[in-house]
Amino acid sequence: MQHLTSINNFTKEQLWELIKLTGEIKADPAKYNNHLSGKILATLFFEPSTRTRLSFESAALRLGMKVLGFADASTSSTKKGETLEDTIKIINGFADAIAMRHFETNAAARAAKVSRIPVINGGDGINEHPTQALLDIFTINEHRQLHAEKLTIAFVGDLKYGRTVHSLSQGLAHFDPKYYFISPSVLKLPDEIKQKLNDKNIEFDELETWDEIAGQVDVLYMTRVQKERFEDESKYELLKESYLLNPDTASKFNDQCLFMHPLPRVGEIDPALDDDLRAIYFDEAHNGVWMRMAILLRIMNHES
Ligand code: NCD
């Protein structure tokens, strides 16, 4: 693995290998304290982030790396008009790996093209968010047997602009799932991704409500309507409350169903649900540190 720009960079075997390493790290993180000491991670975040950037930084620090970067591109030379390619070429002289987030589709692939050091995609516009998908797959596998079960997974919310769904639906496709894509008609999953799922013979249905299928769902993957992708804010206002998971609606789902969300939530999950045993979204976010440690170890070619 030279760069990590898309979930499709991984074969099923490589996904398993990463899940296994993540489990080993989670069981004994201290063992990995100095595995990457002397190395520097640059975190270049051209778009807002809490979990992704800070869990990359936490992962790097736990591996003994040092971290530099920016969380607000308006303080960088991007503000003066520097191209992404030039910024990446410069950072190549300052760090040993890059974790980045950018507002443009395919920005990570563009960066990788001009970079000798590994580039990890922490979200590129509406395209992909592969490291979130990896930590989501790890989290599902902690609770269910991905290799042995045909899981029914419902993706709910903004499937058009939600990059986490774009990556996760493709990553989980290795495990023979059944999908329900539940969204308002204007926020449906892009055709290009549906085509890829069809090519892999993945069974899926598109719906506008979960009423008919709630009882059959093993994983309910909620998402936020991506306000920043709307040109017309009034359209966002109409769509933002399309789905609400609260103690009442949650009662439609079975006792084993996993409630997941990449976070941040902005109203789609009532905090009253946080103590429900099915609500695993905070554990999911915390797994981001262990998964990102595994990613950094692999991408820096460290044999452990
Ligand atoms: C997601 C993202 O940035 O795409 N956040 C995250 O990294 N956990 C989801 C979102 O912002 O809605």
Side-chain angles (χ1 to χ4, degrees):
M1 185 165 56
Q2 199 199 341
H3 302 287
L4 199 180
T5 56
S6 164
I7 194 69
N8 296 321
N9 295 155
F10 292 89
T11 62
K12 184 175 182 180
E13 289 64 37
Q14 288 168 328
L15 278 182
W16 271 126
E17 201 266 335
L18 209 58
I19 289 171
K20 189 167 155 269
L21 177 59
T22 303
E24 288 166 11
I25 293 170
K26 184 171 181 175
D28 187 6
K31 187 176 147 198
Y32 299 84
N33 267 350
N34 295 311
H35 275 42
L36 292 178
S37 60
K39 302 286 185 192
I40 297 175
L41 176 70
T43 54
L44 311 183
F45 278 64
F46 298 84
E47 258 198 349
S49 169
T50 300
R51 274 151 292 275
T52 304
R53 183 175 63 85
L54 294 179
S55 66
F56 260 117
E57 296 193 1
S58 173
L61 294 169
R62 284 178 182 277
L63 291 166
M65 297 178 86
K66 293 198 165 56
V67 178
L68 52 79
F70 53 80
D72 176 359
S74 70
T75 66
S76 77
S77 279
T78 306
K79 181 90 177 161
K80 300 182 192 167
E82 184 167 61
T83 63
L84 173 64
E85 281 79 0
D86 279 3
T87 304
I88 297 296
K89 285 181 194 169
I90 291 303
I91 301 299
N92 267 248
F94 299 167
D96 302 292
I98 294 170
M100 65 173 275
R101 168 171 290 181
H102 200 280
F103 46 86
E104 275 176 26
T105 294
N106 292 328
R110 269 174 55 203
K113 213 167 166 186
V114 297
S115 186
R116 329 174 250 101
I117 63 173
V119 171
I120 306 170
N121 182 4
D124 57 341
I126 62 168
N127 184 37
E128 278 216 45
H129 193 347
T131 66
Q132 178 72 42
L134 292 168
L135 74 91
D136 290 336
I137 293 170
F138 173 79
T139 304
I140 294 170
N141 192 58
E142 275 189 317
H143 294 266
R144 304 294 297 248
Q145 298 201 304
L146 260 184
H147 64 284
E149 299 180 83
K150 185 178 177 77
L151 294 179
T152 298
I153 299 164
F155 296 93
V156 177
D158 187 345
L159 311 185
K160 179 177 180 184
Y161 299 124
R163 56 193 172 198
T164 64
V165 172
H166 301 167
S167 293
L168 183 57
S169 60
Q170 295 186 71
L172 283 171
H174 289 291
F175 304 100
D176 191 29
K178 152 106 185 138
Y179 290 152
Y180 288 112
F181 293 115
I182 301 171
S183 72
S185 59
V186 291
L187 294 179
K188 280 176 149 178
L189 194 72
D191 288 342
E192 186 196 318
I193 298 178
K194 280 187 274 191
Q195 187 56 50
K196 286 187 185 157
L197 297 176
N198 276 327
D199 292 346
K200 292 176 189 158
N201 290 320
I202 304 299
E203 206 184 320
F204 66 85
D205 277 328
E206 295 181 282
L207 302 169
E208 289 191 30
T209 78
W210 58 43
D211 298 344
E212 303 291 314
I213 53 95
Q216 308 161 31
V217 173
D218 298 309
V219 177
L220 176 66
Y221 194 87
M222 298 288 291
T223 64
R224 163 182 81 89
V225 177
Q226 307 278 298
K227 183 177 183 183
E228 64 274 37
R229 312 295 177 205
F230 286 77
E231 274 169 27
D232 178 352
E233 201 170 321
S234 65
K235 291 211 174 101
Y236 165 75
E237 291 298 325
L238 287 174
L239 294 165
K240 69 176 186 191
E241 283 164 8
S242 299
Y243 305 96
L244 173 62
L245 192 64
N246 61 20
D248 178 39
T249 54
S251 68
K252 298 185 202 305
F253 292 85
N254 67 52
D255 291 346
Q256 307 304 318
C257 182
L258 304 174
F259 297 153
M260 299 180 70
H261 192 307
L263 303 176
R265 61 178 163 187
V266 288
E268 25 339 291
I269 301 183
D270 183 344
L273 217 62
D274 294 356
D275 293 330
D276 189 302
L277 289 176
R278 295 170 293 178
I280 59 167
Y281 29 86
F282 288 110
D283 294 340
E284 176 188 352
H286 291 150
N287 279 336
V289 174
W290 319 126
M291 173 51 83
R292 290 179 171 114
M293 285 173 76
I295 292 166
L296 288 168
L297 281 170
R298 279 293 163 263
I299 214 154
M300 305 292 293
N301 286 325
H302 188 96
E303 294 306 324
S304 49

